[in-house]
Amino acid sequence: EVQLVESGGGLVQPGGSLRLSCAASGFTFGSYWMSWVRQAPGKGLEWVANIKQDGSEKYYVDSVKGRFTISRDNAKNSLYLQMNSLRAEDTAVYYCAGGTTTLGYWGQGTLVTVSS
Amino acid sequence: QSALTQPPSASGSPGQSVTISCTGTSSDVGGYNYVSWYQQHPGKAPKLMIYEVSKRPSGVPDRFSGSKSGNTASLTVSGLQAEDEADYYCGSYAGSKNYVFGTGTKVTVL
């Protein structure tokens, strides 16, 4: 059974940092592009970033470029999102998802709240 | 990276059909056959229902079907059932490894 389990969310002040993790199991993690998707409270889905199988290519939505960094550790079957200079508008549930042209696997999400 | 346009809501009675549109541009929906549809129940993670315009993942009922014409994709749910009541999002590859989602449609089963 495919499982993606996010962790690391919480309450952080504006300007602060947070690192999200996603533990994968049940599929060959190292063979898949992986993505982060977020959903602000009561709003729609927004693609945030993705990363190639070997980590050599990374892409971001304009609103997080220079602030967020996606990474992965294939030996640990894990995906990460380092979030710096957080803003109120970054408040959302963050999902990790498997794929890039199709997001076939999804985690249950972790809530990030940016507030003073 | 503008969101794809979906109607905010759609509805139908049990057994009826409902069709949701997803309008983009030639840089996303119209440019690639990588349109997907995701179902999301309240408080739950999205679930892939259709990929590559019209393909169904294993386990998704054949009541769900997808199509595309030009810059507009569509999802049709036939034989509506109570459990189909959810939010539906289209998504499309948008080139340069970017991805874009639709604005979302709330489907209500009357």
Side-chain angles (χ1 to χ4, degrees):
Chain A
E1 179 194 5
V2 170
Q3 275 202 315
L4 293 170
V5 180
E6 301 92 337
S7 60
L11 175 63
V12 61
Q13 292 188 337
S17 298
L18 215 52
R19 188 194 194 210
L20 305 184
S21 299
C22 172
S25 61
F27 68 105
T28 309
F29 178 77
S31 297
Y32 283 79
W33 278 78
M34 294 296 295
S35 301
W36 286 98
V37 174
R38 67 183 178 183
Q39 185 171 35
K43 301 298 184 182
L45 301 171
E46 180 183 36
W47 170 79
V48 174
N50 58 21
I51 184 169
K52 193 176 180 180
Q53 289 91 332
D54 63 359
S56 62
E57 295 182 33
K58 306 173 184 182
Y59 300 88
Y60 303 90
V61 68
D62 286 347
S63 59
V64 309
K65 284 179 182 175
R67 301 189 299 122
F68 289 12
T69 301
I70 189 172
S71 62
R72 65 191 297 162
D73 185 337
N74 289 341
K76 295 183 178 179
N77 286 345
S78 292
L79 178 71
Y80 306 101
L81 187 67
Q82 176 67 43
M83 303 186 296
N84 299 330
S85 303
L86 282 161
R87 307 166 180 166
E89 53 265 35
D90 296 319
T91 294
V93 173
Y94 284 74
Y95 297 99
C96 70
T100 191
T101 54
T102 295
L103 303 178
Y105 306 139
W106 292 73
Q108 85 290 345
T110 187
L111 176 62
V112 172
T113 303
V114 184
S115 175
S116 55
Chain B
Q1 293 169 328
S2 298
L4 309 175
T5 301
Q6 297 180 234
S9 62
S11 63
S13 300
Q16 289 186 332
S17 295
V18 65
T19 297
I20 304 166
S21 62
C22 169
T23 301
T25 70
S26 58
S27 296
D28 38 61
V29 173
Y32 307 94
N33 286 323
Y34 288 122
V35 176
S36 298
W37 289 90
Y38 305 90
Q39 178 191 65
Q40 186 180 36
H41 288 108
K44 301 296 186 181
K47 174 187 176 184
L48 179 67
M49 303 302 283
I50 295 288
Y51 67 101
E52 293 177 11
V53 177
S54 59
K55 298 178 182 178
R56 273 190 314 277
S58 174
V60 172
D62 59 6
R63 303 184 292 103
F64 292 85
S65 62
S67 62
K68 189 184 87 167
S69 177
N71 296 336
T72 298
S74 298
L75 172 72
T76 297
V77 185
S78 305
L80 267 175
Q81 299 183 5
E83 59 262 35
D84 299 332
E85 185 162 295
D87 293 327
Y88 291 83
Y89 294 91
C90 61
S92 175
Y93 180 65
S96 301
K97 303 300 189 289
N98 282 203
Y99 197 85
V100 62
F101 286 100
T103 50
T105 298
K106 181 176 181 60
V107 170
T108 301
V109 181
L110 302 172

